[in-house]
Amino acid sequence: MTNYSVLRKIKYKKVRKIQPNFYEYTGIYKTDPVEMQLFVYAENHFEEYHKVPLPKVEKELNDKFQEDKVKWLNVHGLHNVELIKEIGDLIDIEPYIIGDILNTTRRTKMEELHDTLFFNIKSILPDENLDSIRVEQISFILKENLLVSFQEKKSDFFTHIRERIRSNAGIVCRKKNDYLLYLMLDAVMENFYITIENYEDRIEALMIESKTNHRQDVLIRIENNRENLNFLKRAIVPLRDALFSLKSFQDDNEYDGIESANYTFFARLHQKCLELLEQIDYDLNSLDSASHFHFSAQSQRMNEIMKTLTVVSVVFIPLTFIVGIYGMNFDNMPELHWKYGYFEVLAGMFLLVVGMIVYFKKKKWF
């Protein structure tokens, strides 16, 4: 029996009907302790704190001597609901935003509230065994000179960004927190490229196999890959819409949390979303082609079998008729008394079969 891989299907669940002030983490990553990491940097200044407690965070955020510096607070883990709520109270964000951060079944969204920009996104990567995908929700709060990122678990999505800040490489230390948000969104979107590239390798193999393997398991694998590509598309479409909405902020001039020159970077992310969706649509069309070819090959194979059976049936129909006539028990059948009647009937039947086969070949019926 041929084994085939099936990706774990993730469904968006309906939002529970709970009290507005009741918070609950709906994700699955609950084993590791919640930790916070704080970066405070400017062009010629850098500070980094690991496993920083909340009082230290509060002190750094309220330090008047560092008002012009960018502060990045990265939170690993969401299952400590009380801590997440305290962080929300510290940075003064709406309670329902805390609920959206903890509710990992929410779709990707972007929302602007006065001086605060809230952004959450689904990070998707293929699992190590390539049989499932890992989904993690990452949320961002952009406010004044502060950027807070909430991750469900520890991961290496932003390692290269941390190294840039530590070594003062590139322009990240010369830019504000909106450019940092762009870098982090771009890093998460790279995971989509990795996932889709993994699918493309599978799809290419399925395209080849569908032309040689007529077994049903090929069709099952095609359908499984189609379902999961549609899931990826469902995760990218709201991100595309959210990034497109940023253009209206630039046109309306109502939100000044993003510098005018940096809107170009977010436009690049929007363009990447379009490229990803185009690639997914191409892969879906490839799967449709493989599926149609599989069905066409099955139908062609069945037609060949039916044509062969039909030719055989047509050849034996007249032979059966002749045998039926001479199998009747009538006394007055002159051919029964011929000396060579048996051989003459066999020869006639043989010539009849040969003549029919020659005729069918001439008509190219098989």
Side-chain angles (χ1 to χ4, degrees), residues 10 12 24-25 40 42 75 128 146 180 197 206 222 233 235 260 345 365:
I10 308 296
Y12 290 109
E24 180 184 5
Y25 171 58
V40 180
V75 182
E128 294 179 357
L146 172 67
L180 178 61
E197 183 179 358
L206 278 174
I222 289 174
K233 186 175 182 180
S260 298
V345 171
W365 288 353

Side-chain angles (χ1 to χ4, degrees), residues 257-275:
I258 298 178
E259 295 181 355
S260 298
N262 291 339
Y263 277 102
T264 304
F265 298 113
F266 291 96
R268 293 178 184 176
L269 296 181
H270 180 261
Q271 184 64 33
K272 283 188 175 182
C273 285
L274 298 179
E275 293 175 359

Side-chain angles (χ1 to χ4, degrees), residues 295-317:
F295 282 120
S296 299
Q298 291 282 58
S299 298
Q300 181 66 24
R301 185 165 174 265
M302 182 61 66
N303 289 337
E304 292 295 329
I305 294 174
M306 293 302 298
K307 183 166 61 176
T308 302
L309 294 177
T310 301
V311 170
V312 172
S313 300
V314 170
V315 167
F316 278 90
I317 285 175

Side-chain angles (χ1 to χ4, degrees), residues 185-198:
L185 290 175
D186 184 61
V188 174
M189 289 183 63
E190 286 299 318
N191 297 335
F192 286 101
Y193 282 98
I194 295 173
T195 305
I196 293 176
E197 183 179 358
N198 174 66

Side-chain angles (χ1 to χ4, degrees), residues 94 102 250 282:
E94 295 292 337
L102 295 172
Q250 184 181 19
Y282 175 81

Side-chain angles (χ1 to χ4, degrees), residues 44-60:
N44 299 313
H45 177 84
F46 165 70
E47 297 177 22
E48 180 179 357
Y49 305 94
H50 293 275
K51 297 183 180 180
V52 56
L54 190 60
K56 177 64 175 177
V57 173
E58 183 177 5
K59 180 181 177 181
E60 292 293 327

Side-chain angles (χ1 to χ4, degrees), residues 82-148:
E82 288 301 321
L83 177 60
I84 304 301
K85 183 178 180 298
E86 290 175 359
I87 295 174
D89 294 336
L90 175 62
I91 61 179
D92 191 24
I93 59 176
E94 295 292 337
Y96 75 89
I97 296 295
I98 298 297
D100 288 344
I101 293 172
L102 295 172
N103 189 348
T104 59
T105 62
R106 293 283 190 180
R107 73 196 299 265
T108 295
K109 64 180 293 188
M110 186 272 298
E111 190 168 353
E112 181 264 329
L113 297 170
H114 308 297
D115 61 341
T116 303
L117 182 68
F118 170 66
F119 216 120
N120 75 354
I121 184 174
K122 303 293 182 184
S123 175
I124 298 177
L125 272 175
D127 210 346
E128 294 179 357
N129 57 8
L130 303 180
D131 292 335
S132 60
I133 53 177
R134 291 176 285 145
V135 182
E136 177 188 352
Q137 177 172 286
I138 303 177
S139 302
F140 303 96
I141 298 291
L142 185 72
K143 185 174 183 179
E144 298 174 352
N145 63 338
L146 172 67
L147 176 63
V148 185

